[in-house]
Amino acid sequence: MKILKAWWSAMGEISLALSKDCEKIPEFKLSGNSIPVNFTAERISKHNFAKYTSYYIDGGKLHFMLGSANFENFCDDPCMDYYVCGDFNAWSGLGKPEWRMRETGSSDFQRQLSVDVSALDLKRRGASFKFVSSSGVWLEARPDAPNAVFDKSGNMNLGLSLDRSGRNVFALKFDGVCMLGDDLSIGIPEYGISAPVDVGELLLEIYSGAKLGAYEKDGRTHFSIFAPRADAVYVRVWTSGDKQERLLQASTSDGAVWTAAADADLRGAYYFFHIDGKNRNASSAFDAHFSVADPYANAMLSSSGPSIVKYESDLPKAADFKPPSWNNLVVMEIHLRDILSRAPAKLEGRQRETFAGLIKWLSDKSCYIRQTGVNCVELQPVQEFTAAAASDYEWGYMPVNWFSPSSSYATNPGDASQNDEFAELVRAFHNAGISVILDVVYNHVGEPNYLERVDKEYYFETTSDFGFINFSGCGNDFRAHAPMSRRMILDSLKTFMVRYGVDGFRFDLAELLGLRLLKEIERELKKIKPSVILIAEPWSFRGHISGALRQTGFASWNDGFREFMLSYAKGGGNFDGFKYFMAGSMGGTSRWPSQSVNYIESHDDMCLFDRISPRRDNPSLEDINRYKIACALILLSHGIPMLAEGFDLMRSKGGKSNTYKDGVANALDYSRSARFAGLRDWLRSLVKFRLSDSGAALRPYHPVCDGFFKFYSGSPSPAAAALFNADRSMNCAPSIFVAFNPSLDSADIPIGGDIEGFVHIADIDRFDIRGLADDFHAVKSGILTLPPLSLYIALKH
């Protein structure tokens, strides 16, 4: 007999899992620093056993139980089926009716499957198993499950055993509760076994609504931090011109939030926390010598700290600005230094690296961003991120503080100028009629990892031996579902909306945040700003949740659009895919048209042009035309179009892919504007057309009627066409006809008389909303003939 695991449960009880069922309740003995004297022991119910293990055995049947509380990437969608796979069915249960789980209607368990134990081929009375969705996504169980097991490849599965049916788990109930920092062990003398009790669920139930960070009270600066397992907390504080440091000792009244009070108002001073505690195992990383930046600091001197005392009341207050409705957005993803590095603007010194430099350029109507015609930018991360030096080029995806705008983008970080300067930047965009979306990263953190030193197990997803889980691919997955983690995320989002005027957010690797938190974010932010723009990157290395997001108010980056439309522009694809993505991926990832963010290029891959051609400096006509077709597919489809910075410059990074530290490769080469002036003007005309009254049929607010679209195939050629507002159901909008031929041969598309009376406004070389004087693509006998590598746009009011 062994103790598999002993842990504090959310109910303030100690739960204990043994390696075998016990017919009687054994005698338990506790040892440690502070031992509750009075306790009772009882066997937990099989229902509660299944909450931890996802199965129980009763009456000769094995009951598999699937509950959303145990699986962050579970999608409670009635259209999604789930199956059990394991050693007992050679891991091939997907799609087989006998292994499909049934809906229960229960709040604890959404799906269940019962099978006869006698029908299973269990080796050594046990097996490993896992759940998988009908879309092929494996559900990842909580790593603290007592039956978590890892295979030889490092994949985590769940174990089941006929010797552990549910009669092997017990609960000890107390009159009082031990402190979480105390050492506590539990043993069974008659078996000669014992094990330490880990903090388990109880730690992750702790929440406080207390004020956090640096704040003023009664003319004195107070410093508060949430550190639920700390034994002692100190604040080291000094002013910029003062070499004399003060060390303040913090105290706690609830064991979770520690507060120290200075004897004066220290606005503008620098400070670090120092946190001490017991390091019983790898679940904690306390080090009283480590300088911990305040997680709630509104400003930092650098990513290495220190924090700067800046009160919430000292932050700017955003002016009112209403962004366009989602269906009227054209988004361009930008990086501040990519835009400024080689900008044809009168910028001096560090201005090309700062918020202030972009503010200055935006005031000029000739500013590149304004010239593109887009009405929304998605800024790559600007929350404080890892940067060894202010001049170092970084994408910003390694955050170290979620409340402070990046000090490396500030003119004078020592005076916390980043707060006012970022607010001024948002105002400058708004004054230019451009909305601002922030790319935010809440799935992992960068270095220094301050939160690890505050409480590793509270703030990070860990394995059974307390190592970091890494579905983000960045080394540590933030435990976003913990109560104070959720609060930190929500508080920081609200700060950037209310104080800086940000119009929306794009959530990096949103799958790791989980649907429950994403829904809470939507609910809370819409209370403040109903028009808030919410976009999810719906995947991680763990899974994909675009299907589940259909039932939320989030839009999703559409990776299916990205890959299919690139393939189509290069002469591949098929007619069904063309129809699906042109219509906004409705019925698939989208519940309404603007739920799909259509893009082919983003920051973290090759440029679109580099994916089309290796000829960076001498593109062929074929390269240029394919590039135009790809961009046109983005701008002429239903959904939110997202373009990459430099889209109208036919930007190239020389074939490089992951250029997250390569500022030279990423910097926009504005000389390409003159070199490819025709392409530049054509693409900008297409953006203008989409946002005009004439392009209204491309931007429906609600799902369209069945007769809204008509599609036409040029089979066997990949050439295809679409007619928007075919039934004239959008009463005030013109009908729009678009046709594409991505092949190297001419193509005939039968369209009958459907575009009689239409005005031809664009082809692969020209764009004129008033109509082109000569039509090289005349329809004859109901056939539209398209030359190789071409497109055709026509309009009827």
Side-chain angles (χ1 to χ4, degrees):
M1 183 75 72
K2 296 179 181 179
I3 297 177
L4 296 178
K5 186 176 182 180
W7 69 97
W8 282 106
S9 75
M11 302 300 293
E13 306 167 354
I14 290 178
S15 294
L16 179 76
L18 301 179
S19 58
K20 291 184 179 180
D21 288 343
C22 288
E23 292 305 315
K24 67 181 183 68
I25 299 176
E27 179 182 347
F28 298 100
K29 182 179 180 181
L30 292 171
S31 60
N33 295 335
S34 58
I35 307 170
V37 177
N38 299 317
F39 66 86
T40 57
E42 61 183 44
R43 200 186 308 274
I44 72 169
S45 69
K46 292 183 178 179
H47 186 272
N48 283 336
F49 172 77
K51 286 185 179 180
Y52 296 111
T53 61
S54 299
Y55 83 93
Y56 70 91
I57 301 171
D58 188 38
K61 285 189 175 293
L62 175 60
H63 304 274
F64 293 102
M65 310 296 292
L66 175 52
S68 60
N70 286 342
F71 300 90
E72 278 294 318
N73 58 338
F74 170 75
C75 169
D76 192 11
D77 185 337
C79 297
M80 185 77 75
D81 287 328
Y82 286 92
Y83 299 85
V84 179
C85 293
D87 299 325
F88 40 78
N89 60 16
W91 294 91
S92 59
L94 177 59
K96 296 181 179 178
E98 65 270 26
W99 296 108
R100 184 177 68 84
M101 305 191 76
R102 274 65 175 175
E103 295 184 46
T104 65
S106 164
S107 59
D108 290 330
F109 299 105
Q110 283 72 37
R111 308 291 171 94
Q112 175 180 345
L113 176 65
S114 301
V115 297
D116 290 329
V117 172
S118 60
L120 298 177
D121 180 19
L122 299 180
K123 307 295 184 183
R124 297 181 182 178
R125 295 178 58 80
S128 293
F129 71 95
K130 212 164 186 176
F131 302 114
V132 62
S133 72
S134 51
S135 62
V137 174
W138 293 95
L139 297 192
E140 298 297 337
R142 291 170 49 160
D144 57 357
N147 60 327
V149 293
F150 290 83
D151 63 21
K152 294 179 180 179
S153 300
N155 301 307
M156 190 184 76
N157 302 314
L158 293 173
L160 66 87
S161 171
L162 298 185
D163 296 326
R164 296 192 288 272
S165 67
R167 297 179 61 79
N168 65 310
V169 182
F170 302 89
L172 278 60
K173 299 183 178 182
F174 301 93
D175 294 338
V177 178
C178 292
M179 293 294 289
L180 292 181
D182 292 340
D183 290 324
L184 188 65
S185 294
I186 187 167
I188 305 176
E190 65 182 290
Y191 297 141
I193 56 177
S194 66
V197 179
D198 73 42
V199 293
E201 300 168 28
L202 189 57
L203 173 67
L204 302 181
E205 288 293 312
I206 299 175
Y207 176 83
S208 173
K211 194 170 183 64
L212 299 173
Y215 56 92
E216 184 272 333
K217 182 180 179 182
D218 300 326
R220 304 163 66 196
T221 300
H222 290 64
F223 303 90
S224 291
I225 191 169
F226 174 76
R229 290 192 291 167
D231 287 340
V233 174
Y234 303 89
V235 180
R236 179 164 55 95
V237 60
W238 69 100
T239 58
S240 59
D242 184 6
K243 296 181 180 180
Q244 184 72 31
E245 294 183 350
R246 280 176 275 186
L247 193 65
L248 310 175
Q249 184 168 3
S251 61
T252 180
S253 60
D254 60 5
V257 174
W258 297 74
T259 301
D263 56 5
D265 185 337
L266 299 180
R267 182 185 275 105
Y270 300 150
Y271 68 104
F272 279 116
F273 285 100
H274 291 266
I275 302 173
D276 202 3
K278 298 182 184 71
N279 290 308
R280 294 180 298 164
N281 52 44
S283 73
S284 53
F286 295 117
D287 182 351
H289 300 289
F290 188 90
S291 299
V292 176
D294 184 357
Y296 268 73
N298 288 312
M300 293 178 65
L301 180 62
S302 74
S303 62
S304 297
S307 305
I308 302 175
V309 176
K310 189 148 190 177
Y311 306 139
E312 183 180 3
S313 58
D314 294 332
L315 297 179
K317 184 71 169 67
D320 290 336
F321 177 82
K322 187 175 181 180
S325 58
W326 293 20
N327 58 304
N328 290 323
L329 291 173
V330 174
V331 181
M332 184 167 69
E333 184 191 41
I334 70 171
H335 183 279
L336 182 139
R337 291 186 177 173
D338 295 352
I339 290 289
L340 290 178
S341 179
R342 301 172 67 179
K346 294 180 180 179
L347 301 175
E348 300 175 355
R350 283 205 71 234
Q351 285 184 332
R352 293 185 181 275
E353 299 176 344
T354 62
F355 295 132
L358 187 49
I359 293 167
K360 182 177 179 180
W361 199 23
L362 277 167
S363 66
D364 187 336
K365 290 184 179 180
S366 67
C367 172
Y368 166 74
I369 300 172
R370 298 178 65 165
Q371 290 294 307
T372 63
V374 302
N375 60 7
C376 182
V377 292
E378 182 181 298
L379 278 174
Q380 286 186 250
V382 299
Q383 293 162 308
E384 189 72 58
F385 54 78
T386 299
S391 59
D392 286 355
Y393 180 92
E394 296 285 347
W395 271 353
Y397 291 92
M398 299 298 282
V400 298
N401 175 288
W402 287 313
F403 290 83
S404 171
S406 174
S407 57
S408 63
Y409 292 161
T411 300
N412 188 356
D415 291 336
S417 68
Q418 56 263 44
N419 301 109
D420 288 337
E421 287 168 352
F422 181 65
E424 289 172 18
L425 175 61
V426 175
R427 280 196 295 272
F429 274 116
H430 288 171
N431 290 338
I434 299 172
S435 304
V436 178
I437 298 171
L438 283 194
D439 196 342
V440 290
V441 182
Y442 291 109
N443 57 80
H444 71 277
V445 302
E447 292 291 339
N449 186 340
Y450 301 113
L451 292 175
E452 179 185 12
R453 306 295 178 159
V454 177
D455 199 300
K456 177 181 177 181
E457 191 173 358
Y458 191 94
Y459 283 117
F460 295 95
E461 302 285 5
T462 56
T463 62
S464 57
D465 59 355
F466 303 110
F468 287 118
I469 286 178
N470 188 26
F471 286 117
S472 64
C474 297
N476 55 66
D477 291 356
F478 187 63
R479 198 187 291 273
H481 60 84
M484 293 300 281
S485 300
R486 296 201 314 269
R487 178 187 162 183
M488 191 188 307
I489 291 171
L490 284 164
D491 286 351
S492 62
L493 291 169
K494 291 174 183 178
T495 295
F496 273 88
M497 279 179 54
V498 173
R499 293 295 179 176
Y500 300 106
V502 167
D503 301 300
F505 304 93
R506 175 264 186 189
F507 293 84
D508 181 74
L509 300 183
E511 190 277 333
L512 290 177
L513 303 185
L515 282 172
R516 281 171 291 171
L517 176 55
L518 293 174
K519 290 177 181 178
E520 184 178 7
I521 288 170
E522 177 188 356
R523 183 170 61 251
E524 292 301 310
L525 296 192
K526 284 186 174 179
K527 289 178 184 177
I528 299 171
K529 191 170 188 174
S531 62
V532 64
I533 303 163
L534 298 173
I535 298 172
E537 183 181 40
W539 56 78
S540 72
F541 288 111
R542 185 175 68 181
H544 205 298
I545 57 169
S546 60
L549 287 171
R550 290 181 74 252
Q551 304 306 315
T552 72
F554 274 80
S556 291
W557 272 24
N558 194 332
D559 51 326
F561 183 100
R562 178 191 64 208
E563 297 308 315
F564 178 89
M565 288 306 205
L566 175 63
S567 173
Y568 183 79
K570 295 169 74 171
N574 56 65
F575 186 54
D576 286 340
F578 175 84
K579 292 190 293 182
Y580 172 74
F581 289 113
M582 289 292 290
S585 303
M586 293 294 292
T589 58
S590 301
R591 189 163 47 97
W592 77 93
S594 298
Q595 201 166 23
S596 173
V597 176
N598 299 331
Y599 75 108
I600 303 181
E601 176 186 350
S602 66
H603 62 275
D604 60 353
D605 203 346
M606 278 189 182
C607 289
L608 170 58
F609 176 67
D610 291 341
R611 295 184 75 186
I612 287 175
S613 170
R615 293 176 286 270
R616 176 180 184 270
D617 295 319
N618 295 291
S620 66
L621 181 60
E622 176 184 339
D623 297 334
I624 294 171
N625 286 355
R626 289 200 188 282
Y627 184 86
K628 284 184 173 180
I629 289 172
C631 291
L633 288 165
I634 298 171
L635 288 163
L636 295 173
S637 297
H638 277 187
I640 300 175
M642 188 187 83
L643 304 163
E645 57 188 2
F647 75 96
D648 53 338
L649 310 178
M650 207 160 65
R651 181 193 189 195
S652 171
K653 292 191 288 188
K656 294 182 179 180
S657 179
N658 199 10
T659 55
Y660 71 103
K661 284 184 176 291
D662 194 341
V664 174
N666 291 332
L668 293 195
D669 180 359
Y670 292 100
S671 70
R672 295 172 76 88
S673 177
R675 185 175 176 190
F676 302 110
L679 175 141
R680 176 202 66 200
D681 293 343
W682 188 89
L683 285 172
R684 291 178 181 180
S685 295
L686 191 52
V687 171
K688 184 177 180 180
F689 168 67
R690 181 181 176 97
L691 293 175
S692 70
D693 291 342
S694 296
L698 302 174
R699 314 187 312 272
Y701 186 83
H702 298 291
V704 297
C705 304
D706 289 341
F708 181 89
F709 280 105
K710 286 190 73 172
F711 293 99
Y712 312 84
S713 172
S715 181
S717 166
L723 177 57
F724 296 76
N725 201 21
D727 58 1
R728 307 295 289 185
S729 55
M730 287 184 71
N731 296 328
C732 299
S735 297
I736 301 171
F737 177 83
V738 299
F740 302 87
N741 180 15
S743 72
L744 295 175
D745 300 305
S746 294
D748 291 336
I749 305 178
I751 59 173
D754 289 351
I755 65 169
E756 289 182 6
F758 278 63
V759 176
H760 178 209
I761 62 170
D763 57 27
I764 199 70
D765 297 312
R766 303 170 299 165
F767 205 115
D768 191 336
I769 192 66
R770 298 167 299 179
L772 299 177
D774 49 351
D775 189 346
F776 301 118
H777 309 81
V779 179
K780 296 180 180 179
S781 302
I783 303 291
L784 173 65
T785 300
L786 291 177
L789 300 173
S790 66
L791 59 75
Y792 180 97
I793 306 175
L795 189 68
K796 183 178 182 180
H797 287 276

